[in-house]
Amino acid sequence: MVAPAHGAGAQGSTSAGLMQTRQAEKAGEPSPEMQQEVLSARDSLRATFRSGRTRSYEWRLKQLQNFERMFLEQEKAITAALAEDLGRPPYEAILCEIGGTINELRFMMDNLKTWMEPKSVPTPLALQLGDSRIECVPKGVVLVIAPWNFPLNLAFLPAAQAIAAGNCVVIKPSEVTSACSKLAKGLCERYLDADAVRVIEGGVLETTALLEQQWDHIFYTGNGAVARVVMAAAAKHLTPVTLELGGKSPVVVDRGLSDSQLATACQRIMWVAHFINAGQICVSPDYILVHKDDEQRLLQAMRRCMAQFHPRDDTSAVCKIVNERHWDRVQHLVSSSGGEVFSAGSSPSDRASRFIPPTIVSRPDPEAPIMREEIFGPVISVMPVDDLDAAITFIQERETPLALYVFSPDRSRAEHVVSSTQSGGALINDAMIHLANPHLPFGGAGSSGMGC
């Protein structure tokens, strides 16, 4: 009589727990099991941190070396996952996702010991019995929420930076790039200290469960809408955040560029805006402000550049839009722009393969969605302006971009644009390459990010 009652009670408890889980998932809330998994992972990492294990130079260096070895040894697996998720060609994966990450890791390893050393500072005369110094102290357990556009670089690089600072890390890869998410989990378990680094896969519910917990720092890369959710969750625990967002990064093309200078400017703009990751980059040039007298010269140069970069209708040589939802979004931005549309090649946009050809939109409606929302695709708009001051005003009236690009034959005029506007970073006569300088900080201002 007792045993069956015990068995029935256990079955009843299991059924109730399952029902509770299903009800939570149906309501869009993390299940108790999911919350417990996240809490267990965080507490385990916190115990590792409190043991002091992650503070030593030797441990930090070893983890960075393991990161480097991971990228060197797993090049084929990484390129295959990126091809599956994004249709990214191998050369682009090696250039942007593997090579850039390895360079940053080596920079960290070369400078780690110096960064860890205390910095002596002057002591006032009244306090001369003592001395003063600044020490960089690890925070604890860091949560890294990664995006889908560079799913491995932007998961592992912030994690490596947190580890270099002596912290434990939870990495939440993007569920949109599922092959890369699965690979990230397997690589971390194989190469890194499992007591200090965890990967938790999943979607919105898993991210919600993670954000309900208290962390010592949160690093989020993505869009502004989700960033507001992240920041609100962090505020409940007064957790500091690093938000790397994006926005509409403008290009100012000054008058007076020679034909060769204009051709070079177009190559540098369009290589990033159209051909690297199909423009799915947070610092991708989003729109061009050009002096009205040079508008047609610029458009002609851009069309020649498109033909040069995309000479054949070989869609396998370019990256694809990440999924059909984003393909629909980019297509709508173009179709509702109110401008004249030019596309490269003769291959049309194709939803099934998620292909959008490199596209220029000339003179869109300034109030159209394409001029209000980040494009995040192989599309760039061109708007004529009366002069540099009009371009500056146009930029000032909009949200602060993550990047600003100025192309001018006159350095003082270019510096005038930079000093008269706000942006996370600014580059004169080139695009995006400032990201390759490890000596520069990278981050936004206002709606394009904070906390770098």
Side-chain angles (χ1 to χ4, degrees):
M1 296 289 290
V2 175
H6 179 76
Q11 181 63 40
S13 175
T14 302
S15 299
L18 182 59
M19 185 179 298
Q20 189 177 8
T21 296
R22 289 173 176 168
Q23 288 174 344
E25 291 175 350
K26 188 175 181 180
E29 299 175 356
S31 67
E33 289 82 1
M34 191 186 300
Q35 292 172 325
Q36 184 56 43
E37 178 188 357
V38 168
L39 185 61
S40 176
R42 188 206 63 179
D43 289 348
S44 176
L45 294 177
R46 186 148 286 160
T48 299
F49 177 74
R50 288 172 177 168
S51 73
R53 175 169 161 183
T54 66
R55 292 175 176 263
S56 73
Y57 169 77
E58 291 75 20
W59 183 88
R60 302 186 203 190
L61 181 63
K62 180 65 174 176
Q63 301 309 305
L64 295 178
Q65 290 170 338
N66 288 345
F67 266 120
E68 180 189 30
R69 188 163 60 88
M70 174 201 304
F71 276 90
L72 291 171
E73 293 179 355
Q74 299 298 325
E75 179 182 307
K76 289 185 178 179
I78 291 171
T79 55
L82 290 167
E84 180 178 343
D85 285 333
L86 291 160
R88 185 174 294 171
Y91 77 89
E92 193 176 311
I94 292 170
L95 174 67
C96 299
E97 202 99 22
I98 299 173
T101 306
I102 290 173
N103 287 339
E104 291 279 356
L105 289 167
R106 290 174 177 171
F107 181 78
M108 282 187 254
M109 289 187 280
D110 289 343
N111 291 277
L112 180 60
K113 185 166 285 188
T114 301
W115 292 342
M116 291 179 65
E117 292 174 352
K119 307 295 188 297
S120 295
V121 296
T123 302
L125 182 62
L127 305 176
Q128 284 295 312
L129 291 178
D131 56 38
S132 306
R133 66 180 183 272
I134 299 171
E135 293 188 8
C136 295
V137 179
K139 289 186 174 181
V141 182
V142 175
L143 172 62
V144 174
I145 304 175
W148 53 259
N149 60 326
F150 290 94
L152 297 175
N153 172 280
L154 292 177
F156 289 142
L157 200 52
Q161 292 162 347
I163 287 169
N167 300 289
C168 293
V169 183
V170 169
I171 302 172
K172 167 58 183 67
S174 173
E175 72 280 8
V176 176
T177 43
S178 57
C180 288
S181 177
K182 181 179 179 181
L183 179 64
K185 184 174 179 65
L187 292 181
C188 279
E189 290 172 349
R190 177 175 175 180
Y191 284 91
L192 302 176
D193 185 342
D195 292 330
V197 183
R198 297 283 183 88
V199 174
I200 295 181
E201 293 188 276
V204 174
L205 294 181
E206 286 76 11
T207 304
T208 301
L210 286 164
L211 290 174
E212 287 176 350
Q213 303 303 321
Q214 182 172 1
W215 307 93
D216 299 300
H217 195 97
I218 299 175
F219 191 109
Y220 168 75
T221 303
N223 62 61
V226 177
R228 288 170 172 81
V229 175
V230 171
M231 197 166 181
K236 294 178 181 178
H237 303 290
L238 298 180
T239 299
V241 297
T242 298
L243 304 178
E244 195 277 276
L245 308 178
K248 298 185 71 63
S249 295
V251 182
V252 176
V253 176
D254 193 9
R255 67 187 307 182
L257 291 170
S258 67
D259 289 345
S260 62
Q261 289 173 329
L262 190 60
T264 299
C266 289
Q267 290 171 354
R268 294 176 177 179
I269 295 166
M270 297 174 72
W271 179 71
V272 180
H274 287 148
F275 295 96
I276 295 295
N277 205 33
Q280 298 168 117
I281 310 172
C282 58
V283 293
S284 179
D286 196 286
Y287 64 93
I288 301 174
L289 302 173
V290 59
H291 193 281
K292 60 185 180 182
D293 292 344
D294 284 344
E295 178 189 7
Q296 292 305 314
R297 283 184 66 224
L298 173 67
L299 289 171
Q300 291 168 9
M302 291 178 74
R303 295 181 74 173
R304 287 193 295 269
C305 183
M306 281 202 303
Q308 175 188 355
F309 280 176
H310 194 64
R312 304 177 303 277
D313 289 330
D314 181 11
T315 62
S316 66
V318 294
C319 193
K320 306 301 186 295
I321 301 300
V322 67
N323 57 29
E324 291 179 347
R325 181 173 67 85
H326 282 283
W327 187 94
D328 291 340
R329 180 188 58 80
V330 175
Q331 285 292 99
H332 173 71
L333 292 177
V334 174
S335 64
S336 64
S337 66
E340 188 175 1
V341 179
F342 307 93
S343 296
S346 59
S347 294
S349 295
D350 181 64
R351 192 173 191 268
S353 64
R354 311 190 314 275
F355 170 72
I356 295 178
T359 301
I360 301 167
V361 178
S362 173
R363 297 199 174 206
D365 180 347
E367 300 305 317
I370 198 170
M371 292 304 296
R372 292 292 177 183
E373 301 173 15
E374 185 176 13
I375 297 175
F376 227 65
V379 179
I380 192 167
S381 302
V382 178
M383 295 279 292
V385 292
D386 290 336
D387 50 34
L388 276 187
D389 287 336
I392 290 168
T393 299
F394 191 93
I395 295 168
Q396 288 174 333
E397 290 176 345
R398 282 153 176 78
E399 293 185 335
T400 304
L402 186 57
L404 166 71
Y405 306 113
V406 185
F407 289 83
S408 174
D410 187 314
R411 179 69 182 231
S412 63
R413 288 168 63 83
E415 293 285 4
H416 172 63
V417 176
V418 173
S419 64
S420 301
T421 56
Q422 284 186 309
S423 59
L427 194 58
I428 295 174
N429 291 333
D430 217 320
M432 196 179 79
I433 62 169
H434 61 300
L435 272 62
N437 184 351
H439 298 278
L440 288 174
F442 173 66
S447 61
S448 60
M450 64 179 69
C452 70

